[in-house]
Amino acid sequence: MILKNFIVFEGIDGAGTSTQIKLLKEREDADRFFFTTEPTDSETGKFLRKMLKGDVELDPRTSAFLFAADRNEHLYGKGGTNCGVVEKCESGKIVVSDRYLFSSLTYQCVTCGEELPRRLNESFPLPEILFFFDIDPEISLKRVISRGATEIYEKLDFQKETAARYRKIIDEYEAMNTGMKIIRLDATLPIEEVAKIINKHLEVRS
């Protein structure tokens, strides 16, 4: 199932998704959009952010269940200001999310195997457009380090594995012909060039 008006940005840490969302927020017509992220700001999402910072240690399978629960709240719940995506899309808002199920199929599949994350996420709708920010892990990690704080997944060996995994997942979805539009972005391009590509595709769908 494709969820109309739902746009997702995906990429490894430091790929530039947050920067591009910040630019979208500065558009004159920014009120057309609703901006959101995963994990959410619901109670489940807050707990997951503690885990990502290393404050809470969880079995990888537990975190896979929690990410799926937070995603369900993201789509259908009212437990946080960035929840209820489906309702907002149906009302005509263009919802732009920084991360979605493709992150789980990348990060959780690396940490606990493929079967559980795939099963937990198979019933969630796909976005109308998926922007995949493709970047070399060495470059992205330098960006992350320059921010002055890292999360538990932000280590070079892990980032290399997740970058390869992301590309594999995107290849799989392209081959499935689901109806979701997939845009691969060279995330090493200047910020303004990436923004032009994103805006072009957003205007075509509007």
Side-chain angles (χ1 to χ4, degrees), residues 4-131:
K4 185 175 172 56
N5 295 327
F6 189 32
I7 314 296
V8 169
F9 287 8
E10 287 278 6
I12 61 175
D13 300 296
T17 59
S18 299
T19 297
Q20 292 301 323
I21 287 179
K22 182 176 181 292
L23 291 177
L24 286 176
K25 289 179 178 179
E26 295 170 356
R27 284 174 46 143
E28 290 184 1
D29 61 348
D31 59 345
R32 297 169 55 207
F33 297 89
F34 178 78
F35 298 99
T36 182
T37 186
E38 291 190 1
T40 69
D41 61 359
S42 71
E43 292 305 315
T44 307
K46 290 175 183 176
F47 182 81
L48 282 169
R49 291 187 184 280
K50 289 182 181 179
M51 184 272 292
L52 290 171
K53 290 178 181 178
D55 296 339
V56 179
E57 187 173 349
L58 297 175
D59 181 275
R61 292 164 295 183
T62 303
S63 64
F65 276 104
L66 288 173
F67 273 107
D70 187 55
R71 184 159 298 123
N72 192 79
E73 191 68 13
H74 190 208
L75 290 168
Y76 306 108
K78 303 182 187 302
T81 57
N82 65 344
C83 296
V85 165
V86 170
E87 182 179 354
K88 289 178 175 66
C89 287
E90 291 175 347
S91 75
K93 281 284 188 182
I94 301 171
V95 177
V96 181
S97 180
D98 190 356
R99 297 195 181 280
Y100 186 51
L101 64 85
F102 311 97
S103 289
S104 284
L105 296 180
T106 299
Y107 288 88
Q108 272 74 66
C109 283
V110 170
T111 56
C112 69
E114 295 188 11
E115 182 181 354
L116 181 61
R118 287 185 182 275
R119 177 160 50 84
L120 291 173
N121 290 278
E122 63 185 0
S123 65
F124 293 128
L126 296 175
E128 183 177 349
I129 304 177
L130 167 62
F131 288 100

Side-chain angles (χ1 to χ4, degrees), residues 104-160:
S104 284
L105 296 180
T106 299
Y107 288 88
Q108 272 74 66
C109 283
V110 170
T111 56
C112 69
E114 295 188 11
E115 182 181 354
L116 181 61
R118 287 185 182 275
R119 177 160 50 84
L120 291 173
N121 290 278
E122 63 185 0
S123 65
F124 293 128
L126 296 175
E128 183 177 349
I129 304 177
L130 167 62
F131 288 100
F132 172 54
F133 290 61
D134 198 1
I135 191 169
D136 186 272
E138 283 89 351
I139 298 173
S140 66
L141 194 57
K142 286 180 181 178
R143 294 179 179 178
V144 169
I145 292 171
S146 71
R147 299 196 304 241
T150 59
E151 294 183 340
I152 62 171
Y153 294 137
E154 292 168 346
K155 304 291 185 291
L156 183 56
D157 287 346
F158 189 87
Q159 289 292 76
K160 286 181 176 180

